[in-house]
């Protein structure tokens, strides 16, 4: 799925910022791709962009309106449909992360056909993939894995992309979830792929590349999550990572949506290596990304130092401390970019 | 997916028995569900059933015509479509394991609507599942796992169903692949489910049951297969098996479709326990099912004895020796059926 940019962000009339977290995430990482925001009366989310209706945004060059908010239930309210039709009539494509398919709405489908525009439903995979082959590809790959879902895997991969590029690496974020697809303009919501093609989809997503190129693959779920571990394992095999980072949240007691406790970081490292060596025998852990938002600064720093020492790995909080120690570890283990040698 | 029986088997005009293996598998295990076979001129496969056109089969009580053969490419030839329309016009449902959806063929869709009949595409899941919860359910479950795909997992589960029922157990085969769905009249082709719902689909398939009831869940793929391990892991977590049997073929050198060597039986046991204990801490291996078809009788018996001794487990070839030693091990470890105590 390739989404044309720049974007107009549609935030609807959602009651809070959480309901617009997709749109806000896009602005966090790709502000320069966003021409403006389109909000309906009563909208309580604000991405801090110029307010703009579809016709104006299109005139300024916007190519795609992103539905960057969800209402309760993930369905498509009729008054949002009118806004989407307006975007299509203004000549833009529309991309959505809603559960409802855009094309299932007759007025939206008709408007897309009438204007010859694309509808992108990132939660629904219409692409056909081959089954994974597990053959070693050229280029380097890093996967973010976790002790749970929703624990910072996307954020860590994006922070690594930014920091590695600043350090001179040739590095690309590779999206496997809907917000990530909007942020990279390309990718696949891996949890929406038919089960037989999980690893094959990731082989497509992070293809063979130059030996010094790094793909930074957004992880999903956890090998220890009873709902989603199959997705995580197919993703691990397809990504065949040279390196992985374990993401963790130290105050969380049970995994999301289930009664199971979180695994330990050591358990995640051990099982990721045990399974990952199938497609990359040299797989290794290069660091820990720990969300310390619930802790005070002193406590957080102590926890990072202690956890890093216990595992012999750099431990960072991507938000509080940045990811420089992870980039340094990658440079030490895999070599610095040519320009900085 | 629930398929009404009895069945009429449609074998088309396939050039050999291999192309009709789905139909032949149904007859192997459920001959009493099959009223007859419907073959077109030139068909080289023969299930040994009475020859019967759709109208006659329907008059004798057949409720569903099963497309039990595949032509090259898995698509639906036009001259097969005529036979399917005839079955619908005779008042039967039609179930197919082809890649092509029956309803995508206009004449078939029209005939189904006109007659108010069901079309079952077992390769395509239209059911909605919840995500897996991983909560321990009542009842006992056994999963067949493997060192590769296509290595006897379905056959072993079906042989265990037959032998356990004969031994007085309350036991049901649970199908996770297309042929298995036809054989059990119910089930889900787990590799066709959207990735997020693999374990949830298996929780639906093998639900809570009486404490003495055994669900014998058909395994898929292998935790070590780089194409399909995600499916295998979701299936393991969803099945939360009390017991598992490892299926193996000792002369196979690489896994199907890829260049990777087969894992050892010991590796499969170790990783299955390491991952399976997430949803069933008491998971254990109760035996080995080894396909010795490529060996002579003396060699096969020696291999079974030696492999069993090496792992401290009963080792059988379900076809050559039957599965009685596995049933005996299950009885020893989990108790005999009430009627035989």
């Amino acid at each position: 799925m390739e989404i044309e940019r720049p974007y107009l962000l549609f935030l609807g009339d959602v009651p809070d910022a959480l309901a617009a977290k997709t749109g806000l995430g896009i602005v966090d990482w790709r502000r320069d791709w966003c021409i403006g925001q389109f909000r309906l009366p009563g909208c309580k989310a604000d991405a801090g962009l110029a307010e703009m209706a579809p016709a104006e945004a299109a005139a300024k060059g916007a190519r795609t309106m992103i539905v960057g908010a969800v209402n309760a239930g993930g369905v498509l309210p009729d008054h949002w449909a009118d806004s989407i039709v307006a975007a299509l009539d203004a000549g833009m494509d529309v991309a959505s992360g809603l559960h409802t398919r855009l094309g299932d709405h007759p007025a939206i489908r008709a408007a897309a056909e009438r204007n010859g525009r694309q509808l992108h439903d990132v939660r629904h995979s219409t692409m056909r993939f081959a089954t994974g082959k597990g053959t070693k590809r050229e280029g380097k790959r890093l996967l973010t894995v976790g002790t749970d879902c929703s624990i910072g895997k996307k954020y860590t991969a994006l922070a690594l992309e930014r920091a590695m590029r600043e350090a001179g690496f040739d590095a690309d974020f590779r999206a496997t979830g809907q917000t990530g697809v909007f942020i990279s303009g390309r990718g696949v919501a891996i949890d929406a792929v038919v089960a037989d093609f999980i690893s094959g989809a990731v082989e497509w997503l992070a293809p063979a590349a130059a030996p010094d190129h790094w793909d930074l693959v957004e992880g999903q779920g956890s090998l220890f999550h009873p709902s989603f571990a199959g997705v995580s394992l197919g993703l691990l095999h397809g990504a065949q990572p040279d390196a992985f980072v374990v993401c963790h949240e130290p105050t969380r007691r049970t995994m999301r949506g289930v009664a199971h406790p979180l695994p330990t970081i050591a358990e995640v490292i051990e099982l990721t290596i045990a399974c990952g060596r199938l497609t990359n025998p040299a797989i290794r852990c290069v660091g820990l990304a720990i969300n310390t938002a619930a802790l005070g600064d002193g406590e957080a720093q102590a926890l990072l130092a202690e956890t890093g020492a216990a595992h012999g790995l750099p431990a960072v909080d991507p938000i509080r401390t940045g990811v420089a120690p992870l980039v340094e570890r990658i440079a030490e283990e895999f070599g610095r970019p040519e320009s900085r040698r």
Side-chain angles (χ1 to χ4, degrees), chain A:
Chain A
M1 187 176 295
E2 303 266 353
I3 302 173
E4 290 197 43
R5 32 187 213 261
Y7 299 157
L8 171 66
L9 289 191
F10 176 70
L11 301 180
D13 50 1
V14 292
D16 54 32
L18 186 64
K21 69 174 182 170
T22 295
L24 302 178
I26 297 168
V27 175
D28 279 347
W29 295 100
R30 300 291 189 256
R31 177 172 284 269
D32 54 332
W33 292 6
C34 300
I35 282 196
Q37 65 185 16
F38 176 30
R39 302 193 299 164
L40 300 179
C43 184
K44 294 288 189 298
D46 186 353
L49 300 168
E51 304 287 344
M52 217 172 282
E56 184 188 352
K60 291 194 170 162
R63 303 295 298 270
T64 303
M65 184 170 90
I66 307 282
V67 180
V70 288
N71 61 318
V75 299
L76 180 67
D78 277 337
H79 61 295
W80 289 19
D82 297 339
S83 304
I84 291 168
V85 168
L88 293 162
D89 282 340
M92 283 184 277
D93 294 341
V94 176
S96 150
L98 299 175
H99 281 289
T100 317
R101 287 173 205 257
L102 292 171
D104 285 350
H105 194 290
I108 294 175
R109 187 173 56 234
E113 285 170 5
R114 163 168 91 232
N115 294 291
R117 304 316 315 163
Q118 297 286 316
L119 299 174
H120 300 292
D121 290 296
V122 303
R123 271 185 197 268
H124 298 274
S125 175
T126 51
M127 270 192 65
R128 296 207 160 243
F129 299 100
T131 55
K133 286 297 168 201
T135 312
K136 190 77 183 68
R137 310 188 287 286
E138 275 243 78
K140 296 196 178 64
R141 284 164 204 86
L142 180 147
L143 177 69
T144 52
V145 305
T147 54
D148 193 5
C149 305
S150 305
I151 205 153
K153 292 184 284 285
K154 177 179 80 254
Y155 193 98
T156 300
L158 283 161
L160 280 168
E161 181 193 55
R162 185 174 279 172
M164 288 177 75
R165 286 178 172 182
E166 283 168 9
F169 286 91
D170 176 19
D172 286 315
F173 171 74
R174 297 297 190 188
T176 62
Q178 54 163 329
T179 302
V181 172
F182 294 136
I183 291 172
S184 77
R186 180 179 175 278
V188 55
I190 198 74
D191 57 7
V193 168
V194 167
D196 242 5
F197 302 99
I198 305 171
S199 63
V202 182
E203 293 185 2
W204 166 84
L205 179 71
D212 277 358
H213 176 84
W214 279 92
D215 270 343
L216 307 169
V217 184
E218 176 191 5
Q220 294 291 335
S222 166
L223 288 176
F224 289 87
H225 196 295
S227 309
F228 308 119
V231 174
S232 308
L233 183 59
L235 180 44
L236 174 61
H237 284 159
Q240 53 181 231
D242 303 278
F244 67 94
V245 171
V246 179
C247 303
H248 181 58
E249 209 283 63
T251 67
R252 205 180 286 180
R253 289 290 156 256
T254 58
M255 287 187 280
R256 280 176 71 96
V258 298
H260 294 66
L262 272 70
T264 65
I265 291 170
E267 286 172 323
V268 171
I269 293 173
E270 184 188 9
L271 189 59
T272 302
I273 291 173
C275 293
R277 64 187 173 208
L278 179 71
T279 56
N280 191 337
I283 185 172
R284 68 189 98 162
C285 187
V286 293
L288 312 176
I290 299 180
N291 179 344
T292 62
L295 308 179
D297 206 54
E299 210 182 354
Q301 297 292 356
L303 179 91
L304 292 176
E306 183 185 302
T307 310
H311 297 89
L313 290 164
V316 304
D317 179 331
I319 293 177
R320 192 189 290 265
T321 70
V323 296
L326 303 184
V327 177
E328 182 53 28
R329 182 67 161 242
I330 291 165
E332 284 166 12
E333 299 226 358
F334 296 93
R336 291 175 200 283
E338 194 120 357
S339 57
R340 311 287 171 102
R341 275 174 201 161

